[in-house]
Amino acid sequence: MRNISIILGSTREGRQGEKVAKWVQTVAASHNDASYDLLDLRDWPLPFYNLAVSADAAKGEYGLAMANQWSARIGKSDGFVIVTPEYNHGYPAVLKNSFDWLFREWNDKPVAFVGYSNGPVSGARSVEQLRQVVIALQMIPIRHDLLLPFVGKQFSETGDMVDEKFSRRLDVMLTHLVEYVELLAAKRA
C-alpha cells in the first residue's frame, strides 16, 4: 500500500492548522487506496538550512541527525498533502525550510495542497507560491487544491467540518492524488 504524508506546515502557537490537518487525516482514513500519516513540523525542529553544499549535492547525508531522519521519513512517502496557512501573503518559513533541507527525496512525487486563512483568500497566495517551490524540487503538484476561507468558522467545537462541500472536495482531491501516486511510483521504480 502506498504511503501519503500529510504535512502540517505551521508551528505557530494557537494555529488553526491542527484542526485542518486532523480533519484531512480523518477524511483520508475513509479512503482504502493508501495509508495516510500526519507529519507535524513541530515534531521536526530542523534548524534553518545552512549547509555549505546544496541539498542535491548532500545526497541524503546531511550531517545532522534530525535532517537525516527527515530525509528517511520523506523518502518513504509516495505523495504528500501540504496543509498550509497564509501568513502575510505567503507560506510559513518553517514549511519552506522543511523543503529546503532535501532534494532527491521529494523528486517525482505528487503533492496536493490544503490552504487556509482567517479571511476570504483561503491561503490561495500561499498555495500558489508553494507550487513554484515544489516544481523546483521536481515534484508534481496536482490540479485540485482545497482552499478554506474563514477557517475559524469552518469547524465545530469537536473539530468536525461544518460545510460538507469541503469534505466532498477533499475526497476528489485525494482520489486524484492517489492516481498520480500510482503513476509516479511506476516512474520511480
Side-chain angles (χ1 to χ4, degrees):
M1 181 172 282
R2 305 294 181 199
N3 176 262
I4 297 175
S5 293
I6 302 163
I7 298 178
L8 174 51
S10 171
T11 58
R12 190 173 170 179
E13 273 306 308
R15 61 190 176 170
Q16 296 287 329
E18 277 186 66
K19 288 182 208 169
V20 178
K22 288 177 181 176
W23 167 70
V24 169
Q25 189 176 32
T26 298
V27 172
S30 69
H31 289 243
N32 297 325
D33 46 12
S35 66
Y36 294 85
D37 60 334
L38 179 59
L39 300 178
D40 185 338
L41 291 183
R42 279 189 181 167
D43 299 330
W44 295 92
L46 293 161
F48 278 105
Y49 185 80
N50 63 358
L51 295 185
V53 297
S54 71
D56 185 22
K59 296 181 179 159
E61 180 50 51
Y62 301 98
L64 176 71
M66 178 63 67
N68 292 339
Q69 292 166 8
W70 182 241
S71 169
R73 183 62 200 85
I74 296 303
K76 291 190 315 190
S77 298
D78 296 301
F80 304 92
V81 176
I82 307 299
V83 176
T84 182
E86 183 171 311
Y87 297 155
N88 302 315
H89 290 226
Y91 49 82
V94 69
L95 180 55
K96 178 65 163 69
N97 189 57
S98 73
F99 281 116
D100 288 344
W101 267 99
L102 309 176
F103 182 73
R104 295 175 196 276
E105 298 87 343
W106 300 114
N107 293 176
D108 296 324
K109 295 178 182 178
V111 58
F113 297 98
V114 177
Y116 64 91
S117 72
N118 283 322
V121 178
S122 316
R125 293 173 289 216
S126 178
V127 168
E128 187 63 28
Q129 292 170 21
L130 282 168
R131 285 180 166 280
Q132 295 172 18
V133 172
V134 300
I135 288 169
L137 292 169
Q138 297 179 19
M139 297 174 79
I140 310 300
I142 69 166
R143 178 181 173 269
H144 297 280
D145 298 326
L146 181 59
L147 302 173
L148 299 172
F150 306 106
V151 70
K153 298 177 182 177
Q154 298 299 344
F155 295 92
S156 70
E157 291 292 321
T158 60
D160 295 320
M161 174 54 70
V162 173
D163 189 341
E164 281 304 308
K165 77 178 174 199
F166 290 116
S167 295
R168 290 190 299 275
R169 289 179 186 168
L170 179 57
D171 279 329
V172 169
M173 185 188 84
L174 293 172
T175 298
H176 285 160
L177 179 63
V178 170
E179 289 172 2
Y180 277 88
V181 161
E182 290 302 328
L183 289 168
L184 290 167
K187 180 185 184 301
R188 287 193 316 275

